[in-house]
């Protein structure tokens, strides 16, 4: 069963250990104003069978933020990235005002496989320059392909087992935070 990596008793200090053990964990990078959308995406990935590191579930990080302990916040973020194989950067208009997202990308750039997820309504040219070199996840179809590729499983059995939901399914939990399908030619 997938989990939030923060709750795991096993913590890794380097990506090489994560990779050598075959751990697949996605670090969710987002601006705090997008916390609701980030939680939906984190929960969707967990439901699909992928471990995540999501800061809202990290009680230590919350305490460090409240006590304005910048070094402890930075250390918590670094540990989360070190325990991750992938980084998913959520982009919305709020991202432009984030002080932590650029740090997370910079720290994780060479340590994780970097992906950028566009939240609902982000126009094609609306991405900040510092994320344009990453693989872009523009819609629900794309995140389902990301999950399929990350798990190294065919997409149809994931639909059949209800691990993921079609972009056209009205009950898809991501339909309120992501576009359904940008490019109908898929």
């Amino acid at each position: 069963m997938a989990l939030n990596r923060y709750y795991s008793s096993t913590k890794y200090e380097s990506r090489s250990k994560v990779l050598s053990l075959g751990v697949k964990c996605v670090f969710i990078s987002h601006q705090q104003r997008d916390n609701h959308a980030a939680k939906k995406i984190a929960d969707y990935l967990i439901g699909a069978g992928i471990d995540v590191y999501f800061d809202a579930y990290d009680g230590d990080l919350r305490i460090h933020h409240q006590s304005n302990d910048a070094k402890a916040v930075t250390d918590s973020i670094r540990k989360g990235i070190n325990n991750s194989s992938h980084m998913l950067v959520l982009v919305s208009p709020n991202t432009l005002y984030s002080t932590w997202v650029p740090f997370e990308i910079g720290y994780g750039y060479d340590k994780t496989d970097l992906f950028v997820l566009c939240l609902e309504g982000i126009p094609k040219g609306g991405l900040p320059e510092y994320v344009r070199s990453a693989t872009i996840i523009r819609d629900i179809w794309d995140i389902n392909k990301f999950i399929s590729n990350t798990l190294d499983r065919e997409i149809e059995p994931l639909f059949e087992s209800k691990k993921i939901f079609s972009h056209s399914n009205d009950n898809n939990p991501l339909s309120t935070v992501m576009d359904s399908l940008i490019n109908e030619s898929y």
Side-chain angles (χ1 to χ4, degrees):
M1 175 161 171
L3 53 90
N4 186 297
R5 180 66 44 195
Y6 170 74
Y7 293 124
S8 174
S9 59
T10 306
K11 303 279 197 268
Y12 307 102
E13 292 302 320
S14 72
R15 183 172 189 243
S16 61
K17 284 215 175 171
V18 170
L19 294 177
S20 71
L21 296 172
V23 173
K24 303 277 177 112
C25 180
V26 177
F27 182 93
I28 309 290
S29 175
H30 67 287
Q31 207 282 337
Q32 286 302 308
R33 287 185 214 130
D34 296 322
N35 201 48
H36 176 72
K39 183 181 181 324
K40 283 188 173 210
I41 290 162
D43 290 345
Y44 190 74
L45 294 173
I46 290 170
I50 297 174
D51 289 358
V52 301
Y53 174 86
F54 178 48
D55 66 349
Y57 297 150
D58 184 337
D60 293 339
L61 182 60
R62 192 170 25 260
I63 291 167
H64 301 323
H65 267 299
Q66 290 171 349
S67 63
N68 291 320
D69 187 345
K71 180 173 178 359
V73 169
T74 302
D75 289 345
S76 290
I77 290 169
R78 287 176 47 235
K79 282 182 188 170
I81 293 170
N82 286 339
N83 280 272
S84 301
S85 55
H86 298 72
M87 180 181 291
L88 193 57
V89 179
L90 278 54
V91 175
S92 77
N94 297 322
T95 308
L96 298 175
Y97 304 103
S98 175
T99 55
W100 286 106
V101 169
F103 167 78
E104 292 166 353
I105 293 169
Y107 184 78
Y109 190 82
D110 291 329
K111 294 173 177 54
T112 62
D113 294 334
L114 183 64
F115 294 83
V116 171
L117 184 143
C118 299
L119 292 177
E120 190 173 40
I122 296 294
K124 190 164 185 133
L127 293 174
E129 247 180 88
Y130 60 90
V131 297
R132 291 184 188 167
S133 65
T135 302
I136 309 298
I137 297 173
R138 296 216 45 91
D139 52 37
I140 294 171
W141 174 262
D142 287 345
I143 196 165
N144 285 337
K145 289 298 289 178
F146 167 79
I147 291 167
S148 171
N149 291 338
T150 300
L151 293 172
D152 197 24
R153 294 185 52 201
E154 294 293 322
I155 201 163
E156 287 306 318
L158 292 171
F159 284 134
E160 291 167 8
S161 64
K162 300 193 184 317
K163 295 279 188 186
I164 60 175
F165 299 90
S166 170
H167 64 279
S168 60
N169 184 330
D170 291 336
N171 295 324
N172 189 308
L174 300 182
S175 63
T176 59
V177 297
M178 292 183 71
D179 291 319
S180 294
L181 186 65
I182 300 292
N183 185 348
E184 294 292 341
S185 67
Y186 285 122

